[in-house]
Amino acid sequence: MTYKVTDEGDTSTVFLDGEIDMDKTEGAKEVIFPLIDAGKNVNLNLSNVQYMDSSGISVLIESHQKALEKGTKLIIKDVSKSVLKVIMMAKLEQILNLE
Amino acid sequence: MSTESTNQNNLSEKKDFLVRSSSLKDVRNFSREVFEKFKINEDLREELVLAIAEAAQNIVKHAYRDFPDTQDRMAVRISCSDKELEIAFFDKGKPVEKSKVKHRAIDDVKPGGLGTFFIQEIMDSIKFKEGDKPWINNLVLTKKL
């Protein structure tokens, strides 16, 4: 997994890349969580993530819940078809902020 | 990768992997190669890869929870007949307690507990068996084609 972060005002956009599995979740958390802790709104761009398993879905849930606790917003953007299928299988499409 | 049988109506491929989270990518790549070789419907392939990866992840996370630096290997065997796909997993970790294998309530949204749910959603049957020596656990997943 690789990533890139861009900042605009109080919003950071995190571009993740690759396959997100149990082996990559700590890396994803290390990128996303400090931004939320710093009070940033976070756009999580998943257009280049072609595979995500239950561990990756857990990162999305944890990030979403952390943002709610901190009073910020996590928006998941440009989800690939394959990852959207997994989000829908977990019945999270109405819970997470998807754009 | 070892091919156990390659007659037209009964294909089987088996491969072993170090029990580590870093092996999960190799498990997925093996599965994708096999499904391509077996000419499994493309829409179904990635779902099956997810089910296999979740089962392999459960071996790493649960059967070897107390042994993160193990040198043990787990094996995955994918077999395909005209009508059914069978995916078998073999490991030498802590024996599975079937009563404890359950997913979280799907409307109780929290991190974790989804892997087994995904496997149940994708596959038709899940059976935990005692492994024949030297294996301890043998999980068998099936899917009608």
Side-chain angles (χ1 to χ4, degrees):
Chain A
M1 182 196 77
T2 59
Y3 70 91
K4 184 178 82 175
V5 181
T6 61
D7 288 301
E8 192 175 333
D10 61 357
T11 300
S12 294
T13 300
V14 179
F15 297 83
L16 296 181
D17 200 333
E19 300 195 330
I20 314 258
D21 65 8
M22 179 190 176
D23 199 39
K24 307 295 179 194
T25 50
E26 285 309 310
K29 288 180 188 178
E30 283 171 13
V31 178
I32 300 165
F33 286 5
L35 296 170
I36 297 171
D37 285 335
K40 294 267 194 175
N41 293 317
V42 175
N43 292 335
L44 191 56
N45 187 302
L46 298 182
S47 59
N48 287 320
V49 175
Q50 297 305 321
Y51 173 89
M52 184 176 281
D53 68 6
S54 62
S55 297
I57 295 293
S58 288
V59 174
L60 299 186
I61 295 171
E62 215 172 334
S63 301
H64 175 80
Q65 292 179 336
K66 198 173 187 51
L68 288 177
E69 283 169 21
K70 294 282 179 183
T72 67
K73 196 162 187 181
L74 179 93
I75 298 175
I76 300 168
K77 288 180 171 271
D78 297 334
V79 184
S80 64
K81 190 179 162 190
S82 52
V83 172
L84 182 61
K85 205 168 174 181
V86 181
I87 289 173
M88 291 177 78
M89 198 184 296
K91 306 193 190 317
L92 290 169
E93 69 274 21
Q94 303 296 330
I95 307 281
L96 301 172
N97 298 311
L98 301 177
E99 277 186 11
Chain B
M1 186 178 348
S2 68
T3 302
E4 294 188 329
S5 167
T6 55
N7 71 55
Q8 191 68 32
N9 299 316
N10 194 2
L11 302 163
S12 185
E13 299 274 359
K14 188 175 181 183
K15 190 168 183 178
D16 59 74
F17 306 87
L18 191 63
V19 181
R20 290 283 157 80
S21 61
S22 57
S23 297
L24 296 174
K25 189 176 180 66
D26 298 329
V27 171
R28 295 195 297 273
N29 288 339
F30 162 71
S31 306
R32 288 176 180 130
E33 279 176 34
V34 173
F35 292 140
E36 189 173 349
K37 188 172 175 179
F38 288 4
K39 298 184 174 17
I40 299 294
N41 176 304
E42 283 190 33
D43 286 342
L44 186 56
R45 279 185 207 171
E46 278 303 302
E47 283 189 18
L48 293 169
V49 168
L50 179 63
I52 290 171
E54 294 291 355
Q57 182 181 159
N58 283 345
I59 293 172
V60 176
K61 270 170 82 173
H62 301 299
Y64 282 85
R65 179 190 298 274
D66 301 326
F67 305 97
D69 298 321
T70 183
Q71 293 302 310
D72 279 2
R73 301 185 75 84
M74 56 185 168
V76 181
R77 185 185 67 210
I78 304 176
S79 309
C80 183
S81 67
D82 284 345
K83 294 178 180 172
E84 189 174 79
L85 190 73
E86 181 189 277
I87 304 158
F89 300 80
F90 305 86
D91 72 76
K92 300 174 195 169
K94 185 178 157 192
V96 172
E97 292 178 63
K98 293 178 200 173
S99 61
K100 290 188 176 174
V101 180
K102 56 181 85 166
H103 59 79
R104 69 160 165 79
I106 201 66
D107 56 357
D108 178 18
V109 178
K110 59 186 178 185
L114 281 172
T116 302
F117 176 74
F118 287 165
I119 296 170
Q120 287 179 355
E121 285 288 295
I122 295 163
M123 305 305 295
D124 294 331
S125 77
I126 302 174
K127 284 184 188 154
F128 290 97
K129 300 177 179 177
E130 278 185 29
D132 292 332
K133 283 185 178 178
W135 304 108
I136 303 291
N137 297 307
N138 174 206
L139 168 66
V140 180
L141 310 177
T142 63
K143 176 92 174 170
K144 295 247 185 311
L145 295 174

